[in-house]
Amino acid sequence: MKTERLYPSLKKIVWGGQRLIGLYSYGGERLTKQFEENRTPSNIAESWVFSCHKKGRSTVIGGENDGKTLAELLEDAGPETLGTHYRGGEFPILIKFIDAKRDLSIQVHPDDAYAGEHHEGQYGKTECWYVLDAEKDAELIFGLDRELTREELAARGGKKEVMEVLRRVKVKRGDFIFIPSKTLHAICKGIYLAEVQQSSDITYRIYDYDRLDEDGKPREIQVPDAVAVSNLSPMDVSFQPMGKEERSEGYAKTLLTECEYFKVEKIETFGEYRGEADETSFVSLIVTGGEGLYRDADGEIYLREGDSLFIPANKGAFTVRGNAELLKTTI
Ligand code: ZN
């Protein structure tokens, strides 16, 4: 199987901004197909750039497989394409860009055990964020400000009083935040980021600022589930990447995180980066800034901001030449 360039599934949500539409307007018909009833799409909240999830699949753009979903492609190619770390079942990860023009609801995701019990066949969700842009004084909500009992969280759930016990943290471009499942969290307005997560769409909202949706109804919240799964202790908010920056000729590499679900590295190229897709895992490369030229034994692919590549396991050596910032994810 060849390396494929992917076009995202775009999500229109009330809190989204205009930024992603600029990145993906080149999609032409592909884009209008996703927004058939709305020919001038706005408020694009998320681009699912690396996804086999049934709620939004990335599709191949260019080449002989143009238009196929990544899921279809992997089904044809077989599980070897995913590598020896793949444990079977659903495709393990989902990668998105998120453009928050307004605050997101306060939410929490279950772990695998709770998800397995309550949502058959689905994963829980551990996720991480790499902040690409943030307005001055932009904030995130991350865990609790103090130790809480489950009773107190339940009493505050669904009400604005829950805001009094949540921790607010200022963020800036370049920050990296690891969010284990069961952590209450929210992205607040003015933040643009890339997210790597387990491939799951289970979210329990505990508070949504009493907002109304497009039909004038309050958006659904799931207080009992949110209370049941939430970690009740405050979390560390130093937000450091796991590794130090390593400089080589032509590029710099920083290990952002390595957990049981994914390993994410940031790569900045200022010449040539040499990478490898070995037998253990496929490689996701997403471009978070700049541009470059990807090359492997099969040929070249031009890359620019917002792009996403699927590189099959065992593909071997590849290079990216240019001035680009990339996130490289493996399982
Ligand atoms: Zn989340």
Side-chain angles (χ1 to χ4, degrees):
M1 184 185 159
K2 283 185 179 167
T3 293
E4 299 283 4
R5 179 166 164 248
L6 304 173
Y7 189 80
S9 170
L10 297 165
K11 302 291 171 196
K12 190 174 172 241
I13 312 177
V14 286
W15 47 262
Q18 312 294 321
R19 190 164 204 150
L20 294 169
I21 203 70
L23 281 189
Y24 301 109
S25 55
Y26 70 86
E29 218 175 280
R30 216 176 275 262
L31 181 66
T32 44
K33 233 188 357 205
Q34 290 196 34
F35 297 102
E36 240 138 37
E37 64 294 21
N38 183 354
R39 293 238 155 210
T40 51
S42 57
N43 305 110
I44 305 303
E46 303 183 347
S47 63
W48 293 21
V49 292
F50 194 83
S51 167
C52 288
H53 198 281
K54 60 179 187 294
K55 291 200 174 158
R57 294 181 162 127
S58 311
T59 50
V60 174
I61 186 157
E64 64 208 65
N65 292 312
D66 187 79
K68 275 194 185 173
T69 65
L70 177 60
E72 286 167 341
L73 207 66
L74 297 178
E75 210 170 294
D76 294 347
E80 315 82 77
T81 320
L82 299 184
T84 54
H85 286 175
Y86 171 60
R87 287 174 280 187
E90 297 287 311
F91 187 71
I93 58 169
L94 171 51
I95 302 177
K96 310 170 175 176
F97 287 85
I98 297 180
D99 178 21
K101 195 174 179 187
R102 294 167 60 196
D103 295 334
L104 274 72
S105 55
I106 315 300
Q107 54 186 259
V108 62
H109 310 294
D111 60 6
D112 285 346
Y114 193 91
E117 233 173 85
H118 296 83
H119 309 265
E120 217 196 315
Q122 289 214 60
Y123 296 124
K125 200 205 276 194
T126 283
E127 59 192 17
C128 62
W129 297 332
Y130 177 61
V131 178
L132 298 171
D133 198 10
E135 283 172 9
K136 192 173 172 290
D137 297 327
E139 291 179 320
L140 295 173
I141 288 168
F142 188 77
L144 296 167
D145 212 20
R146 60 176 168 87
E147 193 84 31
L148 230 59
T149 62
R150 217 161 284 283
E151 292 69 34
E152 186 176 357
L153 184 62
R156 290 174 181 270
K159 307 189 189 95
K160 67 173 185 306
E161 283 72 28
V162 76
M163 300 306 292
E164 295 162 9
V165 295
L166 296 168
R167 180 172 285 185
R168 290 180 164 275
V169 192
K170 283 202 178 17
V171 290
K172 58 182 187 317
R173 172 167 167 85
D175 281 347
F176 175 74
I177 299 113
F178 183 78
I179 306 117
S181 57
K182 312 205 288 188
T183 308
L184 283 161
H185 64 276
I187 300 170
C188 302
K189 66 173 188 309
I191 296 175
Y192 173 54
L193 55 78
E195 175 179 85
V196 179
Q197 55 159 98
Q198 287 180 271
S199 183
S200 163
D201 200 35
I202 309 172
T203 294
Y204 304 135
R205 296 194 191 106
I206 196 165
Y207 184 57
D208 192 37
Y209 307 95
D210 306 313
R211 285 190 294 211
L212 304 176
D213 67 13
E214 285 166 336
D215 306 320
K217 296 197 200 86
R219 292 170 79 206
E220 211 183 318
I221 56 173
Q222 298 84 8
V223 176
D225 281 316
V227 170
V229 304
S230 289
N231 174 3
L232 300 169
S233 303
M235 310 274 292
D236 175 33
V237 290
S238 51
F239 297 159
Q240 291 302 311
M242 198 173 261
K244 294 238 176 323
E245 184 183 88
E246 294 169 36
R247 285 205 158 236
S248 307
E249 203 195 320
Y251 69 96
K253 180 170 88 170
T254 309
L255 174 66
L256 297 179
T257 190
E258 185 166 17
C259 68
E260 65 175 301
Y261 306 110
F262 41 74
K263 175 180 177 183
V264 186
E265 292 166 295
K266 178 177 72 169
I267 292 156
E268 289 161 279
T269 67
F270 34 85
E272 185 176 77
Y273 164 69
R274 289 162 190 272
E276 196 199 350
D278 64 18
E279 71 288 354
T280 61
S281 174
F282 62 87
V283 175
S284 152
L285 278 189
I286 64 163
V287 184
T288 52
E291 54 189 330
L293 192 66
Y294 168 90
R295 180 181 287 167
D296 65 20
D298 297 321
E300 295 178 343
I301 301 173
Y302 168 70
L303 298 175
R304 55 167 216 169
E305 189 184 339
D307 277 351
S308 169
L309 291 186
F310 177 89
I311 308 172
N314 237 342
K315 186 85 231 166
F318 64 86
T319 58
V320 178
R321 205 184 268 262
N323 280 297
E325 183 187 74
L326 310 162
L327 292 189
K328 175 184 173 219
T329 304
T330 52
I331 58 168

